[in-house]
Amino acid sequence: MSEVVLKMQGIIKDFPGVRALNNVNFEARSGELLALMGENGAGKSTLMKVLSGVWPYPTYEGDIYLRGERVRFANTKEAEAAGIGIIYQELNLIPGLSVAENIFLDRQFTDAKGRINWNQTFAETQKLLTELGINDIRPTDLVQNITVGKQQMVEIAKALSLKAEILVLDEPTSALTDKEVKDLFRIIRKLKADGVCMCYISHKMEEIEQIADRIAVLRDGQTIGEVTPIADITLDQIIARMVGRDIKDMFPKVDFTPGEVTLEVNDLSVTNPDMPGSYLVKNASFVARKGEILGISGLMGAGRTELVGGVFGAYPDQTTGEVKLNGQKLEIKSPKDAIEAGIALLTEDRKALGLFLDKSISFNTTISSLETISSKVLGIINTQQERKVVKEYVDQLGVKTPSIDTVIGTLSGGNQQKVILGKWLNSKPDVFILDEPTRGIDIGAKVEIYKLLNELVQQGVTVIMISSELPEVLGMCDRILVMCEGEIVSNFERDDAKKEAIMAYATGSA
């Protein structure tokens, strides 16, 4: 059994009106990957922020031990100096700087006169990349010109340049392609072999089964059960620890006979502004019916997000084609036009495109449908009605928050997603488009979202769902469109859809 490198004991962390961590205990060892799992808002990221000095002592209670010695960090610099590196879901890199400049930011090598020694900086960067087996990134590459997956590798190299012995990865694969995930796992296995201790936060069970050695589960800010070897626990037992109940049906699809065509899209194309003459979406045509869930599958970069963005008016100067709603041709020149017509879009990037992070839950819930809480005569917001509406959605969707006045940027990612759902539900759309609605969401919350989608289709709403998770698409969708390189290349009915066939079309090999 390897050495215990990290021990967190009796950790308690309070925020105004809520206890985020309540007597959390766990330990992690050298050369292992400890998976930290739990529902959104369970306290996983807060716990890691305590460890990394984001929440310094004494803003929390309890003790942290590194190799048996108690430590109390006053800031992140002290945690880094002690050998703790943390890679957040939102990467912390400067896009306009090179890979080398990001890795050695504020720590560049200098000569006797204090001038930056670029040759040494680039050489040390290349040494780190080579040690990690990363051959397709150069020290001089600008971060803004490399993929998210490669940026993830840069973050790992940066942490290792700080001599990190404990590496925390928070949802590291949420925006990676399958190939990038394989590359990341290769690096993780190498780091384990080198004796690095890793704490890995993820909601993806298939990842945990592949890469984890042991698992710790948090629920409502508490550790549930013992830290357990992954070989000694089943998927159902993990889920039961996370949500406090058994989930009998992961995909509770309700059979419902779709009605007439609600949305009709003909020859929709979206040009690529960076490459004149090329297309992000080319000649896409499809229909979506009342009371059905239409899935859109394909690899990242296939044009799925751009397709629904074109329908929603996100690229008015780049989009051509025809969109009809209930038989009427629409002139959609902006998202505002789409919303007024009865189309809602839950965006893939919730932080940049879906939320006002510095505003309250209440503000974010009603901002897209102010007419539902305003006087029809005077146009003045009825504050009492607003609070009533927001409270109903917070309760219905199970948003974990001390108050509807809480700033939404302080909530966990899953709870932010629930607020966005409430925002669009309040607009009472005829067509509800959801782009990766369960990305970064725990299993319990996923099932609740699936149940909500069933309720919507039973109410006659047309639901279009983009998802990179094939089991989700196969489990919840009535029909599935497959995209490859900007084109719709296949259309499967639910009963005919098979994972292998979808992947064959998505990769262009069918």
Side-chain angles (χ1 to χ4, degrees):
M1 187 176 294
S2 55
E3 176 190 6
V4 173
V5 177
L6 168 67
K7 184 176 182 180
M8 300 186 76
Q9 186 172 337
I11 304 297
I12 296 173
K13 173 63 182 172
D14 291 321
F15 294 103
V18 62
R19 172 157 286 186
L21 299 172
N22 187 13
N23 195 35
V24 173
N25 302 280
F26 80 94
E27 61 182 34
R29 301 166 181 160
S30 63
E32 80 163 357
L33 187 142
L34 175 69
L36 285 174
M37 302 196 72
E39 293 188 278
N40 294 108
K44 306 181 298 296
S45 295
T46 301
L47 182 65
M48 292 300 98
K49 287 179 178 178
V50 168
L51 172 63
S52 61
V54 173
W55 300 120
Y57 189 83
T59 65
Y60 65 90
E61 298 176 40
D63 293 306
I64 301 172
Y65 295 90
L66 297 183
R67 299 192 184 279
E69 180 180 346
R70 189 175 69 175
V71 293
R72 290 177 170 174
F73 303 130
N75 50 53
T76 56
K77 287 285 187 184
E78 290 187 5
E80 287 179 357
I84 296 170
I86 184 164
I87 300 172
Y88 296 104
Q89 189 173 357
E90 287 78 28
L91 299 179
N92 189 26
L93 299 172
I94 301 175
L97 297 183
S98 69
V99 169
E101 288 171 308
N102 270 280
I103 289 176
F104 290 104
L105 189 65
D106 289 337
R107 300 180 295 117
Q108 297 94 335
F109 300 96
T110 57
D111 59 22
K113 295 182 179 180
R115 295 173 300 193
I116 294 175
N117 185 333
W118 289 111
N119 287 336
Q120 186 177 2
T121 300
F122 292 145
E124 291 296 327
T125 300
Q126 186 59 60
K127 181 180 176 182
L128 282 167
L129 297 176
T130 300
E131 286 177 358
L132 290 171
I134 302 171
N135 303 314
D136 49 0
I137 305 175
R138 296 171 299 182
T140 54
D141 289 340
L142 292 182
V143 164
Q144 65 192 17
N145 294 334
I146 63 177
T147 66
V148 173
K150 290 184 175 63
Q151 290 178 27
Q152 196 83 259
M153 309 304 179
V154 173
E155 285 274 28
I156 292 174
K158 181 178 179 180
L160 295 181
S161 76
L162 294 164
K163 309 300 181 187
E165 295 182 336
I166 299 169
L167 187 61
V168 178
L169 299 102
D170 191 351
E171 295 283 358
T173 65
S174 61
L176 303 191
T177 64
D178 289 343
K179 180 183 182 303
E180 289 169 336
V181 171
K182 289 179 181 177
D183 288 341
L184 176 63
F185 285 3
R186 174 185 58 77
I187 289 172
I188 284 174
R189 291 187 180 100
K190 182 184 185 304
L191 294 175
K192 287 203 292 185
D194 292 342
V196 176
C197 169
M198 282 171 282
C199 298
Y200 188 99
I201 298 173
S202 177
H203 295 300
K204 297 182 179 180
M205 293 294 177
E206 66 276 13
E207 290 183 2
I208 298 304
E209 291 176 323
Q210 284 185 57
I211 205 73
D213 297 292
R214 295 189 303 147
I215 183 170
V217 176
L218 295 185
R219 186 172 79 234
D220 296 329
Q222 300 180 67
T223 37
I224 304 299
E226 299 295 324
V227 177
T228 308
I230 196 70
D232 295 344
I233 191 168
T234 66
L235 176 61
D236 288 344
Q237 288 171 332
I238 293 172
I239 294 171
R241 286 189 187 182
M242 286 172 57
V243 303
R245 64 187 187 280
D246 291 329
I247 292 181
K248 301 297 184 185
D249 189 357
M250 182 66 192
F251 301 107
K253 180 72 175 102
V254 174
D255 289 329
F256 186 76
T257 303
E260 66 273 14
V261 170
T262 305
L263 182 71
E264 182 179 351
V265 176
N266 296 309
D267 293 323
L268 188 140
S269 295
V270 179
T271 58
N272 187 337
D274 299 322
M275 297 178 64
S278 66
Y279 293 86
L280 300 172
V281 179
K282 188 174 182 180
N283 299 330
S285 298
F286 67 93
V287 297
R289 296 183 174 89
K290 183 176 182 179
E292 79 167 346
I293 301 177
L294 175 66
I296 303 180
S297 187
L299 304 179
M300 289 181 65
R304 300 169 303 170
T305 294
E306 291 78 11
L307 172 61
V308 297
V311 171
F312 194 64
Y315 323 106
D317 298 330
Q318 300 164 233
T319 305
T320 58
E322 181 182 68
V323 177
K324 291 183 178 180
L325 186 64
N326 297 319
Q328 300 295 313
K329 183 178 178 180
L330 301 180
E331 294 293 334
I332 299 177
K333 300 299 183 184
S334 69
K336 182 174 182 291
D337 293 337
I339 294 168
E340 291 178 349
I343 301 173
L345 171 61
L346 187 152
T347 55
E348 178 183 18
D349 188 340
R350 60 175 172 255
K351 290 185 181 295
L353 301 175
L355 297 169
F356 294 89
L357 291 172
D358 60 342
K359 301 294 185 182
S360 68
I361 292 172
S362 183
F363 179 94
N364 276 279
T365 302
T366 59
I367 187 62
S368 296
S369 49
L370 293 174
E371 68 281 356
T372 64
I373 56 165
S374 303
S375 165
K376 293 182 180 179
V377 178
L378 300 176
I380 299 172
I381 292 176
N382 183 330
T383 304
Q384 186 175 355
Q385 173 67 9
E386 180 181 34
R387 298 188 70 83
K388 177 176 179 291
V389 167
V390 175
K391 184 70 164 56
E392 287 175 355
Y393 283 116
V394 165
D395 291 343
Q396 176 188 346
L397 298 171
V399 181
K400 293 182 180 178
T401 177
S403 165
I404 63 173
D405 299 314
T406 298
V407 173
I408 199 166
T410 65
L411 299 185
S412 70
N415 284 300
Q416 290 176 358
Q417 190 80 320
K418 292 176 183 179
V419 173
I420 300 175
L421 280 166
K423 174 180 76 172
W424 289 121
L425 290 174
N426 194 49
S427 73
K428 305 295 189 293
D430 293 318
V431 177
F432 195 174
I433 306 170
L434 302 99
D435 193 349
E436 302 285 6
T438 65
R439 174 172 288 171
I441 303 294
D442 62 77
I443 285 181
K446 282 184 179 182
V447 174
E448 294 306 316
I449 289 176
Y450 300 150
K451 289 178 179 178
L452 175 63
L453 298 185
N454 283 333
E455 292 173 9
L456 290 174
V457 297
Q458 288 178 307
Q459 294 166 16
V461 176
T462 299
V463 174
I464 299 174
M465 181 173 69
I466 295 173
S467 176
S468 296
E469 297 187 26
L470 272 180
E472 180 172 85
V473 173
L474 293 167
M476 289 303 299
C477 297
D478 298 287
R479 289 188 299 122
I480 301 166
L481 305 178
V482 184
M483 294 192 69
C484 178
E485 296 182 353
E487 298 185 58
I488 297 175
V489 293
S490 189
N491 181 357
F492 289 95
E493 295 292 334
R494 176 185 175 88
D495 292 338
D496 299 328
K498 298 291 185 291
K499 179 178 180 179
E500 295 77 12
I502 290 174
M503 285 305 298
Y505 279 101
T507 57
S509 60

